[in-house]
Amino acid sequence: MNQTINKSALFNGSCFALITTGLSFSIRSGILTQLGTEFSLSGEQLGFINSMWFFGFPISMIIGGLFYHSVGPKNIMKIAFVMHTLGVLLTVFATGYVGLLISMLCIGLGTGCTEAACNPMIADMYSGDKMNKMLNRFHMWFPGGIVMGALISKFMTNMDLGWQAQMGVIMIPAITYFILFYGKKFPEPKINEATSLSSNLKAMMSPLYIFLIVCMALTAISEFGPGQWVEIILGSSGADPMIILALTAGLVTILRFFAGPVVSSLGQTGVLLGGAIFTAIGIYLFSVVTGPVAYLAAIVYALGYAYFWPVMVGAVAQRVPLSSALGMSVIGAIGMFSSGFFQPIIGNWIDDSTIENTAKGLTGNALELATGQDTLQKMMVFPIILIVMFTILFFWQKGKKPAAVAAH
């Protein structure tokens, strides 16, 4: 007897898996100071511990994409659960620096497996506008998880609950997704040819896919760049940097939930072009305003980048369907690698601006404010380039029916 596909359980399981990712992102950040004190770690060592999460994520995404059709999403998610569990346990029982490096690598590998399995699975369960809506509703749980994790970590820290207990919270959504996936039938690929690795690679060599790869590199740093440096860049602006971070992540969560009608009315290319324009305006406002007005800039900025990641993944699924799971995994991995690649460049901008403004006689908060605003103005280059690229994409794809839809 053929088992029917329980789309609701699979989709909800995917969301809890991404909540696990979001919690691991923010709780890991929230306990860094405690880990440094507990194990007498330097800032550089804490930085390397942090980097293991970003390192494991894209590696497992690419490997998962390569073996998606041979191993299957169910088995990839089993590996994700094992890696998440190992990561939490190894962190809780760590005795030093090396143990923490390994534990964070495991968590990164688990989060990458989640993206590698769930993105193509959702694309195979739904099509057209429904697929765009469900991909956005899936990806809303990454910022949603970050907000939850930040609040949980802050509350537990204020209650003098240790970092071990905070790490244990990550297992709640992890166990939930394991239960939801257990014993379920997973969907088959929509297009048989998409299971061929040679077909995947051929599709990934197409001009459109390569163009989307470049766009993804710039959308990722436009999204993660200001957020990663929010404390340093906006710390002297008169607004609370962590409230700005929570405000943007919370708003993005809500926007992604209601993405369906937005993408349906504007189309993928229209949403991406509009997002690039709002992102550029938001970063510009950050670079010139101070005080409470910075919260308005945060809203504009969130409106800009909210749909970048899920719509880029959806564009690959619909417009380059033969790239299949591998194409979706690689484009996500490129986004993560890009975020890591540009971080030292942004750091160098901050250093250079600090030197220049110090030479002008600025000190204290005035120096930090001027440095932050200079750096943000340089960051505008990313969405400005995207405005040009998405304008090209808009006219390039205008009137073309997405290939995934045409295949039906």
Side-chain angles (χ1 to χ4, degrees), residues 250-267:
L251 183 56
V252 168
T253 302
I254 296 169
L255 289 169
R256 288 182 180 178
F257 181 81
F258 295 104
V262 177
V263 180
S264 178
S265 59
L266 298 178

Side-chain angles (χ1 to χ4, degrees), residues 3-12 125 180 184-185:
Q3 184 183 2
T4 58
I5 295 172
N6 188 336
K7 292 184 179 181
S8 178
L10 293 180
F11 180 77
N12 289 334
M125 288 196 299
L180 285 168
K184 302 297 190 300
K185 180 182 178 181

Side-chain angles (χ1 to χ4, degrees), residues 48-112:
F48 277 114
I49 290 169
N50 247 351
S51 69
M52 289 297 101
W53 190 92
F54 288 100
F55 185 60
F57 197 117
I59 288 176
S60 58
M61 279 188 73
I62 292 174
I63 294 174
L66 282 168
F67 294 100
Y68 179 86
H69 293 297
S70 57
V71 175
K74 177 184 284 189
N75 288 322
I76 294 175
M77 287 312 301
K78 286 180 181 178
I79 295 171
F81 179 74
V82 170
M83 288 295 103
H84 280 141
T85 304
L86 267 178
V88 170
L89 291 176
L90 288 173
T91 304
V92 170
F93 295 104
T95 57
Y97 176 56
V98 174
L100 289 171
L101 285 175
I102 296 171
S103 69
M104 290 302 171
L105 177 62
C106 287
I107 293 177
L109 291 170
T111 55

Side-chain angles (χ1 to χ4, degrees), residues 191-209:
I191 308 170
N192 290 332
E193 193 180 350
T195 63
S196 166
L197 185 58
S198 61
S199 296
N200 300 159
L201 294 173
K202 183 179 179 181
M204 290 166 64
M205 295 306 294
S206 67
L208 178 57
Y209 185 83

